[in-house]
Amino acid sequence: MSESERYDRKTRQLRLLSEALASGRLAPVKRMLDTLTPGEIARVLESLPPAKRSVVWGLVDPDDDGEVLVHVADEVRDGLLAEMDNEELRSALNTLEVDDLADLVDDLPQQLIEELLRGMDREHRDRLEHVLSYPEESAGRLMNTDVVTVRADVAIDVVLRFLRMRGEMPEHTDHLFVVNRNGRYIGRVALTALLTTDPDQIIAEIVDDSQPAIRATTTLDHVAEEFENHRYVSAPVVDGDNRLVGRITVDDVIDLVRDRAEHDLMSMAGLTEEEDMFAPVAAASRRRALWLGINLLTAFLAAAVIGKF
């Protein structure tokens, strides 16, 4: 689907949704929301004024609440969080992966964060605290700790049996990461290689050590550059001792690149991508005071020059 087709589709969805809201018919709105992804629902919410946004937010499937909160702009998120009680918030946050949950923690009340941590099992809590220990604009904050690892001295047949017993695989898993007994990163093994190689061979014979791991302290701009240059679907993340601590997947990098592009575009107008476009005039004016002042000053200067002639 081309960019223009996506824009037309979004415009049509918003028009139909606004018409349904104006008529008071909520059933068509609910059916429309059920066909959208959490990211698309987030864009719809950002495009609505507060009154309509509140109605639509109440119709979103509770199972999608957490993912929608991750995707909306900060100011819009603050308004949505204010409409949720603690029980609703806990239920929504418990559906999120560690990397997505880390994105929301800074916007949550401290009391709720403490309750959320107490309600987690030890392993999940340790993973979240580990991700939060890294700087906000680093690979460590973007990574997901749900990683499938194997040892180099294990037979392929054993790995295949392990994967069948495991059942589910993390999203965007195209490689398994190979580590030594101390958890240090050695290389990766493609799933296609596992399926097409003699099962009696060991992992060490098919490991690919050509992909360098990304340091957890690496900047997000460098992470995006690495994914663009190497066309990664997933990439391992290691700490200062080369221990594997997580992985970054292409969907997170796409979100990162999109956010950077939106920031560059909106900053040209003195805006940020985290603002609520329907915020009250007084609040919006305070945020844009510097930009508005500069424009006013240049207008006076232009008028003065014109007056000389």
Side-chain angles (χ1 to χ4, degrees):
M1 184 182 295
S2 67
E3 190 66 31
S4 61
E5 289 174 334
R6 280 195 293 269
Y7 177 79
D8 290 342
R9 177 172 177 264
K10 179 180 178 180
T11 303
R12 186 168 58 255
Q13 287 173 338
L14 284 173
R15 187 182 69 254
L16 293 174
L17 189 143
S18 295
E19 291 173 354
L21 287 173
S23 67
R25 295 179 294 112
L26 298 184
V29 177
K30 174 63 175 172
R31 287 196 297 271
M32 185 182 301
L33 292 175
D34 289 342
T35 67
L36 302 179
T37 65
E40 290 172 329
I41 294 173
R43 298 294 169 259
V44 168
L45 290 171
E46 291 173 349
S47 304
L48 294 172
K52 290 183 178 180
R53 181 186 299 155
S54 179
V55 174
V56 172
W57 179 234
L59 298 175
V60 174
D61 189 326
D63 291 339
D64 291 332
D65 283 354
E67 288 288 340
V68 173
L69 289 172
V70 170
H71 285 90
V72 294
D74 286 355
E75 286 194 4
V76 176
R77 181 189 302 145
D78 291 343
L80 299 180
L81 290 173
E83 297 184 21
M84 304 175 71
D85 59 36
N86 284 356
E87 186 59 39
E88 289 176 319
L89 269 173
R90 276 194 294 270
S91 178
L93 298 176
N94 283 333
T95 65
L96 296 178
E97 299 288 346
V98 169
D99 56 334
D100 290 332
L101 189 55
D103 287 340
L104 292 179
V105 164
D106 293 335
D107 296 328
L108 300 176
Q110 185 61 35
Q111 180 183 357
L112 181 61
I113 295 173
E114 294 173 358
E115 291 180 10
L116 185 66
L117 291 173
R118 284 197 298 268
M120 290 180 174
D121 60 77
R122 183 179 180 82
E123 181 181 5
H124 199 191
R125 182 172 63 251
D126 289 346
R127 286 181 175 183
L128 177 60
E129 291 175 344
H130 183 64
V131 169
L132 292 174
S133 69
Y134 292 104
E136 188 170 348
E137 289 293 311
S138 68
R141 286 293 287 266
L142 189 65
M143 71 180 181
N144 193 318
T145 56
D146 190 6
V147 182
V148 181
T149 62
V150 294
R151 295 274 293 278
D153 56 353
V154 177
I156 293 175
D157 183 51
V158 174
V159 174
L160 292 174
R161 290 204 303 270
F162 162 72
L163 294 179
R164 284 193 290 269
M165 290 175 59
R166 194 180 195 277
E168 295 184 357
M169 298 282 282
E171 288 186 2
H172 303 293
T173 298
D174 61 329
H175 288 82
L176 305 185
F177 298 127
V178 184
V179 298
N180 64 15
R181 66 178 61 191
N182 296 317
R184 289 186 169 85
Y185 177 72
I186 296 174
R188 60 180 185 166
V189 173
L191 293 181
T192 52
L194 284 176
L195 297 174
T196 57
T197 304
D198 183 353
D200 292 329
Q201 289 186 259
I202 62 173
I203 293 295
E205 297 179 68
I206 61 171
V207 66
D208 173 14
D209 58 4
S210 63
Q211 180 191 20
I214 295 174
R215 295 284 180 182
T217 52
T218 300
T219 64
L220 294 182
D221 287 334
H222 184 68
V223 170
E225 184 179 334
E226 286 292 297
F227 269 76
E228 180 182 4
N229 291 339
H230 300 285
R231 305 293 182 181
Y232 292 149
V233 173
S234 64
V237 180
V238 297
D239 63 12
D241 293 326
N242 201 44
R243 289 188 175 87
L244 185 71
V245 293
R247 69 185 183 119
I248 295 174
T249 55
V250 66
D251 59 325
D252 293 322
V253 176
I254 290 173
D255 289 341
L256 171 65
V257 172
R258 186 199 66 219
D259 291 343
R260 290 287 198 269
E262 288 181 354
H263 173 77
D264 292 342
L265 181 63
M266 298 185 73
S267 62
M268 296 171 64
L271 305 173
T272 73
E273 72 279 11
E274 300 302 342
E275 289 184 21
D276 182 0
M277 300 302 293
F278 293 94
V281 173
S285 298
R286 284 196 300 271
R287 284 197 305 266
R288 302 170 197 169
L290 176 61
W291 180 80
L292 292 172
I294 292 173
N295 275 271
L296 186 61
L297 177 61
T298 56
F300 282 139
L301 289 174
V305 171
I306 293 171
K308 294 292 184 181
F309 293 92

mmCIF file of all heavy atoms in Angstrom, residues 264-290:
data_model
loop_
_atom_site.group_PDB
_atom_site.id
_atom_site.type_symbol
_atom_site.label_atom_id
_atom_site.label_comp_id
_atom_site.label_asym_id
_atom_site.label_seq_id
_atom_site.Cartn_x
_atom_site.Cartn_y
_atom_site.Cartn_z
ATOM 1 N N ASP A 264 11.532 15.742 13.569
ATOM 2 C CA ASP A 264 12.185 16.696 12.659
ATOM 3 C C ASP A 264 11.153 17.532 11.909
ATOM 4 O O ASP A 264 11.340 18.743 11.725
ATOM 5 C CB ASP A 264 13.073 15.948 11.660
ATOM 6 C CG ASP A 264 14.277 15.304 12.319
ATOM 7 O OD1 ASP A 264 14.614 15.703 13.452
ATOM 8 O OD2 ASP A 264 14.881 14.387 11.712
ATOM 9 N N LEU A 265 10.072 16.882 11.476
ATOM 10 C CA LEU A 265 9.049 17.592 10.716
ATOM 11 C C LEU A 265 8.314 18.606 11.581
ATOM 12 O O LEU A 265 8.120 19.764 11.186
ATOM 13 C CB LEU A 265 8.060 16.585 10.114
ATOM 14 C CG LEU A 265 6.930 17.161 9.257
ATOM 15 C CD1 LEU A 265 7.502 17.858 8.027
ATOM 16 C CD2 LEU A 265 5.957 16.065 8.843
ATOM 17 N N MET A 266 7.910 18.185 12.769
ATOM 18 C CA MET A 266 7.109 19.062 13.615
ATOM 19 C C MET A 266 7.943 20.163 14.262
ATOM 20 O O MET A 266 7.426 21.238 14.575
ATOM 21 C CB MET A 266 6.387 18.238 14.688
ATOM 22 C CG MET A 266 5.414 17.224 14.111
ATOM 23 S SD MET A 266 4.444 16.350 15.349
ATOM 24 C CE MET A 266 3.306 17.632 15.875
ATOM 25 N N SER A 267 9.238 19.915 14.469
ATOM 26 C CA SER A 267 10.073 20.952 15.067
ATOM 27 C C SER A 267 10.207 22.152 14.149
ATOM 28 O O SER A 267 10.482 23.266 14.604
ATOM 29 C CB SER A 267 11.461 20.386 15.381
ATOM 30 O OG SER A 267 12.118 19.956 14.200
ATOM 31 N N MET A 268 9.991 21.944 12.843
ATOM 32 C CA MET A 268 10.032 23.061 11.892
ATOM 33 C C MET A 268 8.898 24.052 12.155
ATOM 34 O O MET A 268 8.980 25.210 11.751
ATOM 35 C CB MET A 268 9.946 22.521 10.459
ATOM 36 C CG MET A 268 11.134 21.651 10.061
ATOM 37 S SD MET A 268 10.875 20.821 8.475
ATOM 38 C CE MET A 268 10.772 22.234 7.372
ATOM 39 N N ALA A 269 7.847 23.580 12.805
ATOM 40 C CA ALA A 269 6.711 24.448 13.133
ATOM 41 C C ALA A 269 6.665 24.788 14.616
ATOM 42 O O ALA A 269 5.652 25.256 15.131
ATOM 43 C CB ALA A 269 5.406 23.785 12.712
ATOM 44 N N GLY A 270 7.768 24.497 15.327
ATOM 45 C CA GLY A 270 7.810 24.792 16.751
ATOM 46 C C GLY A 270 7.014 23.820 17.593
ATOM 47 O O GLY A 270 6.635 24.131 18.712
ATOM 48 N N LEU A 271 6.755 22.638 17.057
ATOM 49 C CA LEU A 271 5.979 21.625 17.766
ATOM 50 C C LEU A 271 6.866 20.425 18.093
ATOM 51 O O LEU A 271 7.988 20.314 17.617
ATOM 52 C CB LEU A 271 4.799 21.159 16.900
ATOM 53 C CG LEU A 271 3.851 22.234 16.384
ATOM 54 C CD1 LEU A 271 2.861 21.621 15.406
ATOM 55 C CD2 LEU A 271 3.118 22.893 17.534
ATOM 56 N N THR A 272 6.338 19.529 18.905
ATOM 57 C CA THR A 272 6.984 18.239 19.130
ATOM 58 C C THR A 272 5.962 17.146 18.880
ATOM 59 O O THR A 272 4.753 17.363 18.988
ATOM 60 C CB THR A 272 7.526 18.100 20.564
ATOM 61 O OG1 THR A 272 6.422 17.931 21.473
ATOM 62 C CG2 THR A 272 8.334 19.314 20.981
ATOM 63 N N GLU A 273 6.475 15.948 18.567
ATOM 64 C CA GLU A 273 5.573 14.845 18.255
ATOM 65 C C GLU A 273 4.841 14.331 19.486
ATOM 66 O O GLU A 273 3.899 13.546 19.380
ATOM 67 C CB GLU A 273 6.357 13.698 17.607
ATOM 68 C CG GLU A 273 7.280 12.917 18.540
ATOM 69 C CD GLU A 273 8.607 13.615 18.783
ATOM 70 O OE1 GLU A 273 8.744 14.793 18.397
ATOM 71 O OE2 GLU A 273 9.503 12.998 19.384
ATOM 72 N N GLU A 274 5.260 14.756 20.684
ATOM 73 C CA GLU A 274 4.628 14.290 21.913
ATOM 74 C C GLU A 274 3.494 15.190 22.359
ATOM 75 O O GLU A 274 2.841 14.921 23.354
ATOM 76 C CB GLU A 274 5.684 14.182 23.025
ATOM 77 C CG GLU A 274 6.827 13.223 22.721
ATOM 78 C CD GLU A 274 6.364 11.811 22.440
ATOM 79 O OE1 GLU A 274 5.218 11.466 22.791
ATOM 80 O OE2 GLU A 274 7.146 11.034 21.874
ATOM 81 N N GLU A 275 3.254 16.291 21.660
ATOM 82 C CA GLU A 275 2.198 17.219 22.062
ATOM 83 C C GLU A 275 0.827 16.726 21.630
ATOM 84 O O GLU A 275 0.682 16.010 20.645
ATOM 85 C CB GLU A 275 2.447 18.593 21.441
ATOM 86 C CG GLU A 275 3.614 19.342 22.044
ATOM 87 C CD GLU A 275 3.750 20.734 21.463
ATOM 88 O OE1 GLU A 275 2.749 21.243 20.911
ATOM 89 O OE2 GLU A 275 4.844 21.309 21.546
ATOM 90 N N ASP A 276 -0.172 17.157 22.388
ATOM 91 C CA ASP A 276 -1.568 16.925 22.026
ATOM 92 C C ASP A 276 -2.008 18.072 21.127
ATOM 93 O O ASP A 276 -2.034 19.235 21.550
ATOM 94 C CB ASP A 276 -2.430 16.868 23.291
ATOM 95 C CG ASP A 276 -3.893 16.587 22.991
ATOM 96 O OD1 ASP A 276 -4.247 16.440 21.799
ATOM 97 O OD2 ASP A 276 -4.678 16.504 23.952
ATOM 98 N N MET A 277 -2.353 17.750 19.896
ATOM 99 C CA MET A 277 -2.725 18.788 18.943
ATOM 100 C C MET A 277 -4.009 19.511 19.341
ATOM 101 O O MET A 277 -4.323 20.574 18.826
ATOM 102 C CB MET A 277 -2.880 18.189 17.545
ATOM 103 C CG MET A 277 -1.621 17.534 17.015
ATOM 104 S SD MET A 277 -0.219 18.665 16.957
ATOM 105 C CE MET A 277 -0.761 19.797 15.685
ATOM 106 N N PHE A 278 -4.774 18.916 20.263
ATOM 107 C CA PHE A 278 -6.033 19.526 20.699
ATOM 108 C C PHE A 278 -5.928 20.072 22.129
ATOM 109 O O PHE A 278 -6.941 20.233 22.806
ATOM 110 C CB PHE A 278 -7.171 18.503 20.618
ATOM 111 C CG PHE A 278 -7.504 18.093 19.205
ATOM 112 C CD1 PHE A 278 -6.939 16.968 18.646
ATOM 113 C CD2 PHE A 278 -8.371 18.852 18.438
ATOM 114 C CE1 PHE A 278 -7.233 16.584 17.345
ATOM 115 C CE2 PHE A 278 -8.670 18.482 17.136
ATOM 116 C CZ PHE A 278 -8.096 17.342 16.585
ATOM 117 N N ALA A 279 -4.695 20.356 22.559
ATOM 118 C CA ALA A 279 -4.508 20.924 23.896
ATOM 119 C C ALA A 279 -5.122 22.310 23.966
ATOM 120 O O ALA A 279 -5.256 22.993 22.942
ATOM 121 C CB ALA A 279 -3.017 20.990 24.223
ATOM 122 N N PRO A 280 -5.522 22.783 25.158
ATOM 123 C CA PRO A 280 -6.084 24.133 25.290
ATOM 124 C C PRO A 280 -5.126 25.187 24.759
ATOM 125 O O PRO A 280 -3.910 25.018 24.797
ATOM 126 C CB PRO A 280 -6.278 24.270 26.815
ATOM 127 C CG PRO A 280 -6.408 22.863 27.308
ATOM 128 C CD PRO A 280 -5.527 22.041 26.418
ATOM 129 N N VAL A 281 -5.691 26.297 24.275
ATOM 130 C CA VAL A 281 -4.898 27.354 23.657
ATOM 131 C C VAL A 281 -3.841 27.888 24.624
ATOM 132 O O VAL A 281 -2.687 28.125 24.245
ATOM 133 C CB VAL A 281 -5.802 28.494 23.163
ATOM 134 C CG1 VAL A 281 -4.964 29.672 22.661
ATOM 135 C CG2 VAL A 281 -6.726 27.983 22.057
ATOM 136 N N ALA A 282 -4.227 28.093 25.887
ATOM 137 C CA ALA A 282 -3.289 28.666 26.859
ATOM 138 C C ALA A 282 -2.073 27.761 27.033
ATOM 139 O O ALA A 282 -0.927 28.225 27.043
ATOM 140 C CB ALA A 282 -3.997 28.869 28.198
ATOM 141 N N ALA A 283 -2.315 26.443 27.171
ATOM 142 C CA ALA A 283 -1.198 25.503 27.355
ATOM 143 C C ALA A 283 -0.325 25.448 26.113
ATOM 144 O O ALA A 283 0.903 25.426 26.195
ATOM 145 C CB ALA A 283 -1.747 24.115 27.695
ATOM 146 N N ALA A 284 -0.957 25.415 24.935
ATOM 147 C CA ALA A 284 -0.193 25.362 23.687
ATOM 148 C C ALA A 284 0.634 26.632 23.501
ATOM 149 O O ALA A 284 1.770 26.582 23.026
ATOM 150 C CB ALA A 284 -1.143 25.174 22.508
ATOM 151 N N SER A 285 0.082 27.774 23.870
ATOM 152 C CA SER A 285 0.798 29.038 23.726
ATOM 153 C C SER A 285 2.031 29.083 24.621
ATOM 154 O O SER A 285 3.085 29.582 24.219
ATOM 155 C CB SER A 285 -0.124 30.215 24.055
ATOM 156 O OG SER A 285 -1.219 30.256 23.165
ATOM 157 N N ARG A 286 1.919 28.567 25.849
ATOM 158 C CA ARG A 286 3.073 28.547 26.751
ATOM 159 C C ARG A 286 4.196 27.697 26.180
ATOM 160 O O ARG A 286 5.372 28.064 26.259
ATOM 161 C CB ARG A 286 2.647 28.016 28.126
ATOM 162 C CG ARG A 286 1.873 29.022 28.974
ATOM 163 C CD ARG A 286 1.827 28.573 30.423
ATOM 164 N NE ARG A 286 1.173 27.284 30.568
ATOM 165 C CZ ARG A 286 -0.133 27.127 30.745
ATOM 166 N NH1 ARG A 286 -0.928 28.189 30.762
ATOM 167 N NH2 ARG A 286 -0.647 25.918 30.891
ATOM 168 N N ARG A 287 3.827 26.547 25.599
ATOM 169 C CA ARG A 287 4.850 25.658 25.041
ATOM 170 C C ARG A 287 5.556 26.287 23.851
ATOM 171 O O ARG A 287 6.740 26.079 23.631
ATOM 172 C CB ARG A 287 4.216 24.336 24.613
ATOM 173 C CG ARG A 287 3.874 23.399 25.746
ATOM 174 C CD ARG A 287 3.649 22.004 25.194
ATOM 175 N NE ARG A 287 2.630 22.022 24.154
ATOM 176 C CZ ARG A 287 1.333 21.781 24.358
ATOM 177 N NH1 ARG A 287 0.914 21.533 25.572
ATOM 178 N NH2 ARG A 287 0.468 21.804 23.361
ATOM 179 N N ARG A 288 4.805 27.073 23.081
ATOM 180 C CA ARG A 288 5.348 27.611 21.839
ATOM 181 C C ARG A 288 5.744 29.077 21.965
ATOM 182 O O ARG A 288 5.956 29.763 20.960
ATOM 183 C CB ARG A 288 4.316 27.457 20.716
ATOM 184 C CG ARG A 288 3.906 26.005 20.516
ATOM 185 C CD ARG A 288 2.725 25.849 19.594
ATOM 186 N NE ARG A 288 2.122 24.536 19.734
ATOM 187 C CZ ARG A 288 0.952 24.201 19.211
ATOM 188 N NH1 ARG A 288 0.265 25.077 18.524
ATOM 189 N NH2 ARG A 288 0.470 22.983 19.376
ATOM 190 N N ALA A 289 5.850 29.565 23.198
ATOM 191 C CA ALA A 289 6.121 30.990 23.422
ATOM 192 C C ALA A 289 7.404 31.423 22.726
ATOM 193 O O ALA A 289 7.446 32.491 22.092
ATOM 194 C CB ALA A 289 6.193 31.272 24.916
ATOM 195 N N LEU A 290 8.467 30.638 22.852
ATOM 196 C CA LEU A 290 9.746 31.018 22.243
ATOM 197 C C LEU A 290 9.604 31.116 20.728
ATOM 198 O O LEU A 290 10.034 32.105 20.113
ATOM 199 C CB LEU A 290 10.821 30.000 22.618
ATOM 200 C CG LEU A 290 12.199 30.226 21.979
ATOM 201 C CD1 LEU A 290 12.753 31.588 22.422
ATOM 202 C CD2 LEU A 290 13.153 29.106 22.360
#
